[in-house]
């Protein structure tokens, strides 16, 4: 009996020792000190190649860093280990999910689950996180896995933390809050759970309360890096949602992100995350500096080309932008995102612009538009970004190019800018057909403009200038009947808004009255003279109205 007790105690001590040797690495992972964690785990594996869990944790870090080939190597190595090998099937399962092979992933997860004992819940947590961390997250599957685990171990803090993340990803704020609260109550050293309560407040746009929640975390552990990243992202959102606070809050955001970097590491991956934040903050000068620092650290990492391309474009160096983005998107192995094509398209259009910006080389324009189309094909919501691109061209009076961009934008009726993009499309086509060098207006283009203004009127019947420009467009189309109709509708809409609005638009009323009179001159002289009288009431010396009155007598 005594020998059995001694053996049992020795087994417990060995188990605890094995768990403890991974604790520093797990803490570093939670603190987002990934390079430190990698170093610790590699040391464990070197000292004990049989430690499959260390290989799994290391593979997971590589997955977080989008280095899937290294992740696969460690998962396969861990699968051959004698301790904790089965966890590596979870990592390989996530790789299957990333490859859109759900069946293969599930088969690997089932292999892990079939040998679990009733109280084994760690594996369920990792399977759920594989569903959440996949390229296409599946939060509902994660919730199903974790709910099953919570039945057998309802007070497990890690299960509750993962449930909080899964519910948050599934946009279930209430259940997410309960899970995070439970996690922190079950283990008050689990500071991430407390931080996530602040993240929920950030998502609800309760920025003041979110900052207060983060400060409570800092009071517990001022060296917990992730909380400063959350502060940075909160101040960024705060500035964007309340524009008058933008300058102040963006500076706070950038400062907190720097703090986050000092508490994590200045590795290439941390710098890339910083670069991604600088893109959000639109600090392209800082982005260019960061990109060049990354190039010095790791001149072969292709993602650096993205940052060089974005910053070079925004800082006016179109040639560097073009080369960087063309090199990056040419490699099919790179994880290309819609924004890469948005910037490449803009760079090509800018490269083709004339000195005054009004004309764009047709070849460059066509190639640039093709890239913008690729962005939208990858993500239809990228159409939201076309408004700003089109407006830049519109403002520099490159109306033909602007029209092509806005026509692409309005092809997606779900775009948040659908209404204003239709207005800009109509205006771009109209102004492109009223250039001084125009020989003959393009009726097809003007018909597109007419449709665009009609879309604006349908969605927003009180948008008065849509009627005005629709009337002008029909004047160019020599459609007198519709021209008169839309001028009259313009008058009616503005009049309904009150005398002050009418007074502000006196010149446009004169334009409307005169053009309606012109349209009616051959069919209804009485009505035509009535319109001209209204012009003369506003401007007794109006030359057109005085001359037309003489001709109508």
């Amino acid at each position: 009996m005594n020998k059995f007790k001694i053996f049992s105690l020795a087994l417990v001590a060995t188990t605890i020792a094995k768990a403890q040797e991974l604790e520093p690495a797990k803490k570093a992972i939670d603190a987002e000190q990934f390079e430190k964690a990698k170093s610790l785990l590699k040391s464990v594996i070197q000292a004990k190649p049989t430690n499959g869990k260390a290989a799994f944790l290391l593979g997971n870090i590589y997955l977080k860093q989008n280095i899937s080939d290294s992740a696969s190597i460690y998962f396969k190595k861990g699968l051959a280990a004698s301790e904790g090998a089965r966890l590596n099937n979870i990592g390989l399962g996530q790789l299957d999910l990333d490859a859109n092979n759900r069946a293969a992933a599930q088969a690997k997860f089932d292999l892990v689950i079939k040998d679990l004992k009733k109280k084994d819940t760690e594996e369920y947590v990792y399977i759920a996180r594989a569903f959440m961390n996949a390229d296409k997250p599946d939060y509902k599957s994660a919730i199903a896995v974790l709910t099953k685990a919570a039945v057998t171990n309802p007070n497990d803090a890690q299960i509750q933390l993962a449930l909080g993340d899964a519910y948050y990803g599934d946009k279930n704020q209430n259940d997410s809050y309960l899970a995070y609260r439970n996690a922190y109550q079950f283990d008050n050293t689990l500071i991430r759970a407390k931080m996530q309560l602040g993240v929920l407040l950030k998502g609800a746009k309760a920025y003041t309360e979110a900052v207060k929640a983060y400060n409570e975390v800092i009071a517990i552990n001022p060296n917990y890096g992730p909380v400063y990243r959350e502060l940075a992202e909160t101040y960024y959102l705060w500035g964007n949602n309340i524009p008058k606070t933008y300058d102040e809050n963006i500076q706070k955001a950038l400062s907190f992100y720097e703090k986050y970097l000092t508490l994590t590491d200045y590795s290439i991956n941390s710098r890339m995350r910083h670069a991604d934040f600088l893109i959000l903050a639109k600090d392209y000068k800082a982005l260019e500096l960061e990109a060049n620092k990354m190039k010095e650290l790791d001149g072969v990492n292709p993602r650096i080309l993205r940052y060089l391309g974005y910053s070079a474009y925004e800082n006016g160096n179109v040639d560097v932008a073009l080369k960087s983005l063309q090199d990056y998107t040419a490699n099919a192995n790179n994880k290309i995102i819609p924004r890469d094509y948005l910037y490449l398209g803009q760079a090509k259009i800018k490269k083709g612009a004339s000195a005054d910006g009004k004309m764009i080389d047709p070849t460059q324009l066509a190639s640039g538009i093709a890239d913008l189309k690729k962005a939208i094909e990858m993500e239809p919501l990228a159409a939201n970004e076309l408004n700003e691109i089109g407006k830049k061209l519109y403002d520099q009076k490159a109306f033909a190019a602007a029209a092509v961009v806005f026509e692409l934008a309005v092809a997606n009726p779900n775009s948040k800018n659908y209404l204003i993009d239709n207005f800009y499309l109509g205006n771009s086509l109209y102004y492109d057909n009223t250039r001084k060098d125009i020989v003959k207006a393009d009726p097809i283009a003007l018909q597109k403009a007419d449709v665009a203004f009609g879309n604006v009127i349908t969605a927003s019947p009180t948008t008065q200038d849509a009627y005005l420009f629709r009337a002008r467009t029909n004047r160019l189309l020599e459609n007198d009947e519709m021209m008169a109709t839309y001028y009259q509708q313009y008058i009616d809409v503005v009049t309904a808004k009150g005398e002050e609005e009418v007074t502000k638009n006196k010149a446009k009323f004169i334009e409307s009255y005169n053009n309606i009179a012109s349209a009616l001159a051959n069919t209804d002289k009485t009505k035509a003279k009535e319109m001209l009288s209204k012009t003369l009431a506003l401007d007794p010396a109006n030359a057109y109205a005085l001359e037309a009155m003489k001709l109508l007598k």
Side-chain angles (χ1 to χ4, degrees):
M1 180 65 76
N2 286 337
K3 285 183 179 179
F4 179 75
K5 284 183 178 178
I6 291 168
F7 176 75
S8 298
L9 289 170
L11 182 62
V12 170
T14 302
T15 303
I16 292 171
K18 286 178 182 175
Q20 286 178 337
E21 69 184 356
L22 294 177
E23 280 307 303
K26 289 169 76 174
K27 286 181 179 178
I29 292 169
D30 178 63
E32 298 176 17
Q33 297 169 336
F34 297 123
E35 295 306 309
K36 178 181 177 181
K38 282 159 66 174
S39 177
L40 290 167
L41 290 167
K42 286 176 181 177
S43 296
V44 171
I45 293 168
Q46 187 174 9
K48 192 181 295 184
T50 58
N51 194 323
K53 187 172 183 179
F56 168 70
L57 292 173
L58 184 54
N60 262 350
I61 295 174
Y62 281 113
L63 277 182
K64 285 179 184 289
Q65 296 178 334
N66 293 314
I67 310 173
S68 57
D69 52 351
S70 294
S72 179
I73 289 168
Y74 280 103
F75 291 144
K76 289 174 181 175
K77 186 181 290 186
L79 205 58
S82 57
E83 303 166 13
R86 65 188 177 198
L87 287 169
N88 291 278
N89 268 318
I90 301 173
L92 292 169
Q94 185 179 328
L95 287 170
D96 286 333
L97 290 174
D98 290 343
N100 293 317
N101 192 341
R102 170 66 184 256
Q106 192 60 56
K108 290 180 175 67
F109 298 155
D110 290 342
L111 275 176
V112 175
I113 292 170
K114 73 181 181 68
D115 294 324
L116 294 183
K117 296 174 184 176
K118 189 174 181 180
K119 286 291 184 179
D120 290 338
T121 53
E122 183 181 44
E123 288 82 357
Y124 287 107
V125 170
Y126 284 126
I127 290 170
R129 291 211 174 276
F131 279 120
M132 287 189 273
N133 294 333
D135 287 346
K136 295 178 181 176
D138 183 351
Y139 297 108
K140 292 192 186 302
S141 291
I143 292 167
V145 170
L146 292 165
T147 302
K148 183 178 178 180
V151 170
T152 58
N153 200 348
N155 296 331
D156 185 292
Q158 288 294 337
I159 291 174
Q160 293 299 318
L161 175 63
L163 264 173
D165 292 341
Y167 282 126
Y168 182 69
D170 201 41
K171 296 181 171 54
N172 183 337
Q173 295 277 101
N174 291 336
D175 285 339
S176 182
Y177 172 82
L178 292 173
Y180 286 140
R181 187 194 63 186
N182 289 342
Y184 190 66
Q185 285 178 347
F186 297 154
D187 180 2
N188 63 10
T189 68
L190 195 56
I191 198 167
R192 182 171 286 270
K194 185 171 180 61
M195 181 185 77
Q196 290 300 117
L197 294 171
V199 172
L200 289 175
L201 291 165
K202 174 187 74 175
K205 298 184 180 180
Y207 303 120
T208 302
E209 292 79 4
V211 169
K212 182 180 177 182
Y214 298 141
N215 285 333
E216 289 176 3
V217 174
I218 291 169
I220 297 169
N221 183 357
N223 294 317
Y224 188 62
V227 73
Y228 296 100
R229 174 177 50 73
E230 291 297 344
L231 272 166
E233 292 176 6
T234 299
Y235 276 111
Y236 161 75
L237 291 170
W238 196 344
N240 273 276
N241 278 280
I242 305 176
K244 67 180 181 181
T245 70
Y246 182 83
D247 291 341
E248 178 186 355
N249 283 333
I250 285 297
Q251 288 308 309
K252 287 180 180 178
L254 293 169
S255 175
F256 279 120
Y257 214 102
E258 287 293 333
K259 177 77 171 176
Y260 165 73
L261 283 174
T262 64
L263 291 169
T264 51
D265 53 48
Y266 278 95
S267 68
I268 191 69
N269 285 286
S270 291
R271 285 185 177 277
M272 283 181 177
R273 192 163 185 170
H274 182 217
D276 289 333
F277 185 76
L278 291 172
I279 292 168
L280 288 177
K282 298 184 178 180
D283 190 342
Y284 298 108
K285 294 291 185 186
L287 178 63
E288 191 167 23
L289 290 171
E290 188 70 286
N292 283 304
K293 287 176 184 174
M294 286 190 283
K295 193 174 181 181
E296 291 173 11
L297 282 172
D298 186 352
V300 298
N301 193 306
R303 204 162 122 201
I304 296 169
L305 292 170
R306 169 184 293 158
Y307 305 126
L308 285 170
Y310 291 9
S311 58
Y313 175 80
E314 294 290 352
N315 294 330
N317 194 339
V318 69
D319 291 325
V320 172
L322 265 175
K323 182 167 189 335
S324 300
L325 292 167
Q326 284 174 328
D327 288 349
Y328 185 72
T329 56
N331 189 339
N333 294 322
N334 293 334
K335 284 197 172 182
I336 300 166
I337 60 175
R339 192 174 294 276
D340 298 332
Y341 284 121
L342 286 174
Y343 266 103
L344 180 56
Q346 288 182 86
K348 288 178 179 178
I349 293 170
K350 193 170 185 178
K351 178 68 176 176
S354 60
D356 62 3
K358 293 181 181 180
M359 301 299 294
I360 310 294
D361 176 76
T363 303
Q364 289 283 17
L365 178 61
S367 183
I369 292 298
D371 287 320
L372 298 183
K373 285 180 179 176
K374 286 179 186 176
I376 295 169
E377 286 166 4
M378 290 178 72
E379 173 50 74
L381 288 177
N384 293 335
E385 306 290 332
L386 297 180
N387 176 264
E388 187 175 342
I389 297 170
K391 280 171 68 176
K392 286 179 183 176
L393 293 166
Y394 183 89
D395 290 342
Q396 67 196 42
K397 295 183 169 38
F399 296 120
V404 178
V405 172
F406 286 120
E407 190 170 7
L408 183 59
V410 301
N412 181 1
N414 296 319
S415 167
K416 69 176 182 179
N417 302 311
Y418 182 73
L419 179 65
I420 190 67
D421 285 345
N422 266 289
F423 188 78
Y424 271 111
L425 171 59
N427 267 17
S428 298
L429 291 166
Y430 171 78
Y431 282 125
D432 190 48
N433 279 276
T434 56
R435 302 191 322 265
K436 289 180 181 178
D437 63 335
I438 200 81
V439 177
K440 181 175 173 55
D442 179 353
I444 295 175
L446 291 171
Q447 285 161 10
K448 287 181 181 179
D450 181 70
V451 170
F453 290 128
N455 290 337
V456 176
I457 290 166
T458 299
S460 179
T462 59
T463 303
Q464 61 204 47
D465 280 356
Y467 296 97
L468 180 69
F469 277 94
R470 197 173 194 186
R472 290 172 176 174
T473 298
N474 277 274
R475 184 178 64 198
L476 289 180
L477 283 167
E478 299 179 2
N479 187 336
D480 286 351
E481 181 182 354
M482 297 315 298
M483 174 190 73
T485 297
Y486 296 128
Y487 270 126
Q488 185 59 57
Q489 288 177 355
Y490 169 76
I491 292 166
D492 294 342
V493 168
V494 176
T495 301
K497 293 181 180 180
E499 190 60 36
E500 184 179 349
E501 191 67 25
V502 172
T503 302
K504 284 196 303 186
N505 290 282
K506 175 182 170 181
K508 293 173 184 176
F509 267 60
I510 291 171
E511 174 190 337
S512 300
Y513 292 140
N514 284 347
N515 278 287
I516 294 172
S518 172
L520 297 172
N522 295 322
T523 58
D524 190 341
K525 288 186 178 182
T526 302
K527 184 71 173 175
K529 286 194 283 186
E530 181 186 330
M531 292 293 114
L532 294 171
S533 296
K534 289 184 177 183
T535 292
L536 294 169
L538 294 172
D539 178 13
N542 187 271
Y544 175 85
L546 290 170
E547 184 63 27
M549 275 291 201
K550 289 179 185 177
L551 293 172
L552 289 172
K553 284 182 179 178

